[in-house]
Structure formats: C-alpha cells, structure tokens
Amino acid sequence: MSFKKVLVLAPHTDDGELGAGGFISKLIEDGADVYYMAFSTAEESVPEGFPKDILKTEVRAATKVLGVKDENVIIFNYQVRKLNYARQEILEELIKFKRVHQDIDLVLLPSINDIHQDHSTIANEGIRAFKTKSIFSYELIWNNLSFNTQSYISLEEKHINKKIDALKEYKSQGFRDYLSADFIRSLAVARGVQFGVKYAETFEVVRLSIK
C-alpha cells in the first residue's frame, strides 16, 4: 500500500516528528506529498532566553529536514494545554482543510489513549474530521498509558538519522530527555526487534480506508 497525500496533525510543534519522523521521511522519499499542521507553539512554555515564537521557526526547520515543503507547514497559535477550549474551532479548521484537500489518503495523529489534554483533543477532532480516510495514531510513550502496536513501518538508518537531525532543530527544547538521539534510536531499535527489522516505528490503526 502506498500513500500519495498525507496530513500530520501535531498538537504541539514537535509531536509529529517525535511520533512519526521516520515514517514522514520515508513517505516523502517514496513521493508522497506531506502536510504538517501544528496547533500550538506553546509560547507559555518556551524557556527564558528564547523568543516566545521560537517554535514557529524551529518547526519549519525541523520539518524541512524531513523533506516537508515549507508551504505545506500550517501553524496555528492556540494556547498550550487549552486546545480543548477551542475544540469546535479546531474541528472547523480541519474540515476546511479537508474540503480543499479531498484527496488526502492518510492522516497521522496522536493516540486516543494519549492522556495529554491537547493530544487527546487533536486525536478526537482529527478522527471526527477525517473519519472516511485512513488514520494511523503515532506513539508518544511518555503520554500513552497503553498503545496498540497494530502496524509497524520498517525504517532504514537514513530515516532514523533524519528524525534525529530534525529534532535537533528544536534547540529551545533540547533539555527534554525524549528529544535525545539515544532515546529516539533506542525506541526505533526496540520496535524493530518486535517487527524483525533493524529499525521501526509503530502505529495504532484507527481506520484503514481502501477505495
């Protein structure tokens, strides 16, 4: 199965790369047109010494490393940890996007088992908006109380390196342990062992749409 037009929904600017950076890199390498939609630049959480809007710059740099076209990166500025307050507005933005891009054939979003309030909002509204499309949920293990490893994507060294390089663009977030190269590579190796390959990412299959 190949996907030609893919939408990544990221509650915060680095979530898509963390959960699916290797797969995004592979999709683009295989010719897919990938769109990346980030809903919060978390200005309230930016460390001292960085501009409040630094994550807008960093997400464009990170997605560029993965191969996403700059014009395909859509950034909203909803307040971090309060996306649920704008649930209907977010749903309407997603439906507006779908009307323009009716040929989207895969949506990547957080797991419905993700306990972060912003992540669960984007998961639920994304499923609501794109219920007729194929939908895979990506893994963010520090927020997942459970995760169903229903689908594995085999990755090569180059895909993992691109994922690591992309996450290095988040210099304002470098203190977070889940952004470290060791963690990213270790998780890819662990998922690879489960799948019988060197590296992998795993996804929950929310819906598989074959038309």
Side-chain angles (χ1 to χ4, degrees):
M1 177 174 291
S2 64
F3 298 103
K4 300 297 184 189
K5 195 167 183 177
V6 179
L7 173 62
V8 182
L9 300 182
H12 313 112
T13 46
D14 55 4
D15 291 324
E17 298 94 314
L18 283 163
F23 188 26
I24 293 169
S25 172
K26 185 172 184 174
L27 283 164
I28 292 171
E29 180 183 275
D30 291 342
D33 197 16
V34 175
Y35 288 75
Y36 190 103
M37 192 177 286
F39 291 86
S40 176
T41 56
E43 292 187 358
E44 298 84 347
S45 301
V46 171
E48 285 189 23
F50 291 94
K52 287 298 181 187
D53 62 351
I54 185 66
L55 285 164
K56 289 181 183 174
T57 304
E58 291 178 341
V59 68
R60 289 195 181 279
T63 49
K64 184 178 181 181
V65 171
L66 296 179
V68 181
K69 299 172 187 169
D70 188 64
E71 61 267 31
N72 288 3
V73 179
I74 302 159
I75 305 170
F76 296 102
N77 203 26
Y78 293 105
Q79 191 172 0
V80 67
R81 292 184 290 278
K82 293 186 177 179
L83 295 190
N84 54 326
Y85 293 8
R87 183 201 65 77
Q88 184 61 30
E89 192 177 334
I90 289 169
L91 176 60
E92 289 170 9
E93 290 289 353
L94 293 172
I95 291 174
K96 188 192 306 181
F97 180 90
K98 188 177 74 171
R99 286 183 181 138
V100 176
H101 302 276
Q102 295 188 19
D103 52 347
I104 288 284
D105 53 12
L106 174 65
V107 179
L108 301 177
L109 42 66
S111 169
I112 55 173
N113 296 314
D114 192 314
I115 61 169
H116 191 293
Q117 63 269 44
D118 289 347
H119 296 193
S120 61
T121 297
I122 296 305
N124 283 298
E125 299 315 314
I127 292 169
R128 190 167 283 123
F130 294 97
K131 60 187 177 185
T132 62
K133 307 294 186 181
S134 289
I135 302 173
F136 290 1
S137 290
Y138 52 75
E139 180 182 39
L140 300 170
I141 64 170
W142 51 97
N143 284 323
N144 296 143
L145 291 186
S146 63
F147 193 85
N148 298 311
T149 55
Q150 296 159 324
S151 173
Y152 287 86
I153 304 295
S154 174
L155 300 172
E156 300 175 35
E157 179 87 28
K158 59 184 176 181
H159 304 127
I160 298 303
N161 287 339
K162 277 200 174 183
K163 179 173 182 172
I164 290 170
D165 289 344
L167 289 166
K168 284 179 181 173
E169 295 294 335
Y170 289 100
K171 295 179 176 59
S172 69
Q173 306 297 306
F175 62 95
R176 299 187 188 278
D177 50 7
Y178 53 73
L179 282 167
S180 76
D182 286 346
F183 170 75
I184 298 300
R185 191 173 297 278
S186 297
L187 182 59
V189 169
R191 293 314 190 190
V193 168
Q194 291 177 308
F195 193 41
V197 298
K198 188 172 182 180
Y199 300 113
E201 286 175 340
T202 184
F203 297 84
E204 291 178 331
V205 180
V206 178
R207 172 151 289 185
L208 185 59
S209 177
I210 302 174
K211 296 181 178 176

